[in-house]
Structure formats: C-alpha cells, structure tokens
Amino acid sequence: NAGVTQTPKFQVLKTGQSMTLQCAQDMNHNSMYWYRQDPGMGLRLIYYSASEGTTDKGEVPNGYNVSRLNKREFSLRLESAAPSQTSVYFCASSPWTGSFSGNTIYFGEGSWLTVV
Amino acid sequence: GNSVTQMEGPVTLSEEAFLTINCTYTATGYPSLFWYVQYPGEGLQLLLKATKADDKGSNKGFEATYRKETTSFHLEKGSVQVSDSAVYFCALLMNYGGSQGNLIFGKGTKLSVKP
C-alpha cells in the first residue's frame, strides 16, 4: 500500500528560486495537510485542505501557497525560497468522516529541502 | 491556546530498561491524543492513540493512558529494545471551527537504547 506519497525526497534550492512539493494519497481521504519539521520545534501546520476544493492556513503559512488539485493530490509551492524555509516537509491525510473522535492523520515519508 | 508539552531528551537507556516519556497537554474541550514515532530518516508513524478519558492506547509493547484529571498521556514500555531508538512525538487533535481536525505536536523526545 502506497499510502501518502510525496516528491521530491530531497531538494536543494537557491534563495529566490521557486519549487513545488507534490503529494498524493490513495486512501480516498477527505483531508490533507502540509507540515514542516524543524529541530526542537516539533511539527507545525502550514496549510490544510478539509475537502476537495477548499484550503485554509495553518500556523505558519507565510511564504507558501497550496493547491488541492483533486481529492488525491495536494501540492505545496514556495514562490521565492528563503533560507528560513530550510526544513523537512511532511504531507499528511486523514479520512475526516465527520467523527471527530475517530479521526487519525497519516503521514508521508518527508521531503528534505535546503535553501542556500 | 492548545498545546502539548513533553519531556526533553535525549533519553538514553540500556536494553530491557523501563521507559517513560511524559506528555501533558492544554486544550479547550476534549481532544484525541496520539503518540507518533519517527525512526531515523523516515516519516512519522502512528504508534498509538486514545480518543477519550481513561482510554488506554497500546501497540508494540507501548502503552499510554488518557488521564483527564492530570491532562496527561505518558508513554510507557516495560522493556525497551535497541530497535525502539527513535524520536517520539506526543500530539493532540482538535477541531478547527467544528468541522476539521488538526494535530498539535509536542517538540519530540529522542530515545536512544544501548545494547
């Protein structure tokens, strides 16, 4: 089972360059998320999409844009990369059937991004 | 606001030792609670969860009990193995506007188990 798949796994960018991180899930989940992980900070939510056609800001959205292309795919774009965006990025998804207590979030394997 | 606090690491133990990683939370309402594990170079995997007070989540010998009175969800294992070496994250799941769940993470605790 593929689960949540994100690409690329590793990327080095120069300051000011743009790039898109791709994410796809094959679990027919309604909700998808992008997190970043920084040393000593845990994971912080960048953007999320509760359902196809909707997106909302999370805790740290500045410098990012997202697109929920269809139910399976949720991309994260850095328009003008900055060194502060050097991080590990995780895509995630959840079924969100409407039962709050039963919800669980599943993660991809991560994308290591370095901005020089 | 809602938050998760977990003990700072790193935690270094010998094989077969008893493990406790403390986690406490602050939340309005009644969150679901989770432990995720991250092995070196990999993504996060769900280890266990509990959705209401007094629930006990368990998996792979790990256990955690949702204690509403102490707002805690401490992770325990009776006998750790070298293969348990990883970073462990405590997290809570809250609604956003009543229609969406989102995870709030602690900062992670690195566990190293020596043979």
Side-chain angles (χ1 to χ4, degrees), chain A residues 11-82:
Chain A
Q11 183 72 49
V12 178
L13 287 178
K14 294 182 179 179
T15 297
Q17 285 186 319
S18 62
M19 78 157 296
T20 300
L21 297 174
Q22 307 286 353
C23 176
Q25 52 91 9
D26 62 1
M27 296 176 281
N28 200 36
H29 285 172
N30 292 316
S31 299
M32 298 185 74
Y33 312 78
W34 277 105
Y35 288 85
R36 59 178 289 172
Q37 182 182 26
D38 301 293
M41 300 290 290
L43 278 80
R44 294 179 292 171
L45 182 67
I46 305 171
Y47 271 93
Y48 69 100
S49 171
S51 61
E52 186 178 354
T54 68
T55 61
D56 285 285
K57 295 178 180 180
E59 182 183 355
V60 289
N62 292 343
Y64 305 95
N65 286 301
V66 291
S67 296
R68 184 74 182 267
L69 305 171
N70 47 56
K71 190 171 185 179
R72 289 187 63 248
E73 299 173 288
F74 187 42
S75 63
L76 178 72
R77 183 162 179 82
L78 286 69
E79 292 291 352
S80 178

Side-chain angles (χ1 to χ4, degrees), chain A residues 9 31 33 35 37 40-43 45 48-50 58 90 94 96 100-110 112, chain B residues 30-32 34 36 38 41-44 46 49 51 89 93-96 98-103 105-108:
Chain A
K9 184 143 186 159
S31 299
Y33 312 78
Y35 288 85
Q37 182 182 26
M41 300 290 290
L43 278 80
L45 182 67
Y48 69 100
S49 171
F90 288 97
S94 71
W96 188 241
F100 168 60
S101 64
N103 201 22
T104 298
I105 296 179
Y106 299 90
F107 287 82
E109 294 188 344
W112 275 253
Chain B
Y30 302 99
S32 296
F34 300 79
Y36 282 84
Q38 184 179 31
E42 299 185 10
L44 276 74
L46 178 65
K49 72 174 188 178
T51 58
F89 292 92
L93 185 62
M94 298 297 298
N95 276 318
Y96 260 123
S99 62
Q100 172 61 42
N102 176 50
L103 279 171
F105 284 88
K107 294 184 178 181

Side-chain angles (χ1 to χ4, degrees), chain B residues 34-99:
Chain B
F34 300 79
W35 277 100
Y36 282 84
V37 58
Q38 184 179 31
Y39 298 103
E42 299 185 10
L44 276 74
Q45 302 176 25
L46 178 65
L47 181 59
L48 53 85
K49 72 174 188 178
T51 58
K52 62 183 186 296
D54 299 325
D55 269 2
K56 177 185 282 187
S58 61
N59 186 26
K60 299 181 181 179
F62 291 89
E63 293 183 342
T65 301
Y66 188 163
R67 301 286 187 200
K68 181 183 169 186
E69 63 276 14
T70 54
T71 62
S72 65
F73 193 54
H74 303 323
L75 182 68
E76 296 182 337
K77 187 175 185 182
S79 177
V80 295
Q81 305 300 312
V82 173
S83 57
D84 293 326
S85 297
V87 180
Y88 293 82
F89 292 92
C90 184
L92 64 83
L93 185 62
M94 298 297 298
N95 276 318
Y96 260 123
S99 62

